[in-house]
Amino acid sequence: MRETPGVVIKSKFKVPGTKKKSRRYTTYLDYINRPDAKDSREQFETYHDYMEDETKSSGLFTREDDRLNDEKRRAVRDIFKHAQENGSILWQDVISFDNAWLREIGVLHKDLIDEKRLIQATRNAVEAMLQKEKMVHAYWTGAVHYNTDNIHVHVAIVETSHIRERGKRKPKSIELMKSKVIHSLADRTKEQEKLNAFIRDELVVHKRNRKIPTLPNRVLHPDLVRQFKDIYERLPEDKRQWRYNMNGMKPLRESLDRLTDRYIDIHFKSEFQAFNERLEQEVSFHRRSYGDTEKAERYLTTKRQDLYTRMGNAILSEMRDLSKKQAPFKKSETPKHSVRRAFNQQKIFNESLYRIERHMNDEFEHLKNQRAFEQLERDIEYGK
């Protein structure tokens, strides 16, 4: 299912023609800068108190300038003219916005549009695309249009030297443009930092500082310890494989994920609920901005996988430490000592079990004594 996207980019290119009837590149500049491309009633004041006489068109902008005077406009026309004469391709991009989306993110408010943000978002997008395409000698210009139901930006690009013959750009380059536009206009950095902080600074740090097979866990959360022990006993012999994403861990990843789920349920139940709510908000933002449910779900999967990967590696790190502590005993072992090793392990287990039972018995006796004392007080109070 696809929603109405907040941003759409359409791209095409023209090869320099040789016929007299071929359209010159400067004509395209005239087109995107034509007076009727902008409604004179909609010259808006930006949110940065940038003022402009509303009878004027916003006109062309470039990498360096928000507005071009007559002299710079003539210089741009000359650049495009010479590029065509040298055989450069003309790339034409249209970045179109859903006006409702612009309102949602605060770029459009009633009859006011923050055109500076649109211009800067376009700059960020075009420069990122040019870098990815390695178009080092490209020159471009853009113009914001209000003459249709959807506000849109026209972009024209040529190469001034080292002319390439291939006009088609990689789909990922255009996707990068779209991503840059979206994140330039609606910066979600803080929201995403909160998601990462929960995973890395709270959950993983908590795990690294607390071992799982401890006495309190054996008493209060024996299922957690059993899961830990089960995974540890099934680890590959090659310790280099003890990383979550290594091939050798593939059979154990599901078990590691279940152990992570149980750990979170014990220590971070409410925090994890808040994490999921924030994550769903980010997924909704992706779905609304890109108009692509699949892309939004991919973001959700990626973020959750990051959680399981980092927690899985934190658990495996504890298992590596445990293995190192047991290594000296294993090195000195010979087949004839296997019975003694089993005996010693059982002895350690019995001693631990004895301490647990003794602790619980002490607590039970204390509880019985406490109740007996309270009963005695009641008997005295009522004269029994």
Side-chain angles (χ1 to χ4, degrees):
M1 178 181 178
R2 297 180 69 89
E3 295 188 9
T4 301
V7 180
V8 173
I9 297 182
K10 295 183 179 180
S11 303
K12 62 181 181 178
F13 63 90
K14 285 183 175 293
V15 177
T18 56
K19 297 180 181 180
K20 292 182 179 179
K21 293 183 180 179
S22 297
R23 190 177 185 183
R24 298 182 63 82
Y25 294 173
T26 52
T27 307
Y28 183 67
L29 291 181
D30 292 337
Y31 167 73
I32 65 176
N33 195 42
R34 70 193 190 281
D36 65 337
K38 303 172 182 66
D39 190 335
S40 61
R41 296 171 300 173
E42 297 183 5
Q43 301 301 317
F44 305 130
E45 176 180 303
T46 69
Y47 294 151
H48 301 289
D49 295 330
Y50 184 85
M51 302 295 294
E52 184 180 31
D53 186 341
E54 68 176 22
T55 63
K56 295 181 180 180
S57 164
S58 60
L60 297 173
F61 65 89
T62 64
R63 179 188 288 117
E64 298 85 8
D65 298 297
D66 290 352
R67 298 286 184 275
L68 300 184
N69 56 29
D70 291 340
E71 181 182 356
K72 289 185 177 180
R73 190 175 290 107
R74 285 193 296 269
V76 168
R77 288 175 59 86
D78 288 340
I79 291 173
F80 274 72
K81 176 182 176 181
H82 293 145
Q84 182 183 20
E85 291 172 349
N86 292 334
S88 172
I89 293 169
L90 172 66
W91 288 271
Q92 302 170 5
D93 298 309
V94 179
I95 307 170
S96 181
F97 302 95
D98 177 17
N99 289 0
W101 183 80
L102 290 178
R103 290 187 182 92
E104 290 168 16
I105 63 173
V107 174
L108 181 62
H109 180 67
K110 294 183 179 179
D111 290 336
L112 298 176
I113 186 164
D114 192 342
E115 190 176 86
K116 273 205 163 192
R117 285 171 69 182
L118 290 182
I119 291 174
Q120 189 56 51
T122 303
R123 286 190 179 119
N124 295 343
V126 174
E127 293 302 320
M129 181 274 295
L130 294 178
Q131 184 176 1
K132 189 170 184 63
E133 287 287 327
K134 297 182 172 58
M135 296 173 69
V136 180
H137 303 282
Y139 185 88
W140 66 271
T141 187
V144 182
H145 289 196
Y146 308 100
N147 62 318
T148 64
D149 292 338
N150 298 101
I151 295 170
H152 56 282
V153 181
H154 284 272
V155 177
I157 307 169
V158 292
E159 288 181 307
T160 56
S161 62
H162 296 78
I163 308 299
R164 63 176 62 190
E165 298 179 358
R166 183 177 179 272
K168 188 174 182 181
R169 289 166 290 176
K170 302 180 187 71
K172 287 186 177 180
S173 299
I174 306 303
E175 276 296 311
L176 178 61
M177 283 185 70
K178 186 174 182 178
S179 177
K180 284 292 183 180
V181 168
I182 290 170
H183 290 287
S184 296
L185 293 176
D187 187 3
R188 306 290 294 183
T189 302
K190 290 183 179 179
E191 288 77 8
Q192 292 172 3
E193 284 178 352
K194 289 178 182 178
L195 293 173
N196 293 334
F198 171 74
I199 296 173
R200 302 172 189 178
D201 302 334
E202 294 184 48
L203 189 57
V204 173
V205 170
H206 186 277
K207 170 64 207 68
R208 285 175 179 167
N209 293 332
R210 288 166 177 80
K211 298 187 181 302
I212 290 178
T214 59
L215 182 59
N217 278 338
R218 288 175 181 172
V219 175
L220 300 175
H221 311 294
D223 57 326
L224 186 73
V225 178
R226 279 197 301 271
Q227 286 179 263
F228 181 93
K229 182 179 179 182
D230 175 68
I231 295 172
Y232 182 73
E233 291 176 347
R234 292 189 291 140
L235 285 171
E237 291 186 8
D238 185 0
K239 292 184 176 60
R240 292 174 298 181
Q241 293 288 318
W242 293 15
R243 298 288 189 280
Y244 185 89
N245 286 321
M246 296 296 285
N247 290 334
M249 291 304 302
K250 188 174 181 179
L252 295 175
R253 281 180 202 147
E254 187 176 345
S255 297
L256 275 170
D257 293 346
R258 286 199 300 269
L259 179 56
T260 292
D261 289 336
R262 182 63 184 132
Y263 190 91
I264 291 173
D265 190 58
I266 293 171
H267 298 289
F268 289 92
K269 192 169 187 176
S270 60
E271 294 88 345
F272 188 58
Q273 182 179 351
F275 168 84
N276 280 324
E277 290 173 358
R278 286 194 295 267
L279 182 56
E280 184 54 42
Q281 291 173 1
E282 287 304 296
V283 171
S284 297
F285 170 77
H286 273 69
R287 188 182 297 116
R288 176 70 177 94
S289 302
Y290 292 93
D292 190 343
T293 300
E294 183 180 346
K295 187 178 182 70
E297 291 301 321
R298 192 159 58 243
Y299 175 83
L300 174 68
T301 300
T302 299
K303 189 56 62 178
R304 284 183 175 165
Q305 193 55 51
D306 181 48
L307 184 151
Y308 285 118
T309 299
R310 292 178 182 277
M311 274 296 290
N313 281 327
I315 293 168
L316 290 170
S317 177
E318 180 181 349
M319 292 180 177
R320 285 195 299 272
D321 292 340
L322 180 61
S323 177
K324 289 177 183 178
K325 292 178 181 178
Q326 294 179 345
F329 298 98
K330 290 185 178 180
K331 287 181 180 178
S332 61
E333 276 186 5
T334 60
K336 65 181 181 180
H337 292 141
S338 59
V339 175
R340 177 177 295 178
R341 176 174 175 269
F343 174 79
N344 289 334
Q345 286 182 334
Q346 186 64 38
K347 180 180 178 183
I348 293 171
F349 177 78
N350 290 339
E351 290 175 351
S352 299
L353 186 61
Y354 171 75
R355 286 194 297 271
I356 295 171
E357 291 176 346
R358 181 175 178 181
H359 175 75
M360 295 180 71
N361 287 335
D362 289 345
E363 290 293 324
F364 182 65
E365 288 298 325
H366 173 74
L367 183 60
K368 287 199 302 182
N369 293 336
Q370 182 68 26
R371 288 179 176 175
F373 177 74
E374 292 172 354
Q375 183 63 45
L376 179 61
E377 285 186 323
R378 287 194 293 270
D379 292 344
I380 294 173
E381 182 178 354
Y382 291 105
K384 292 183 179 181

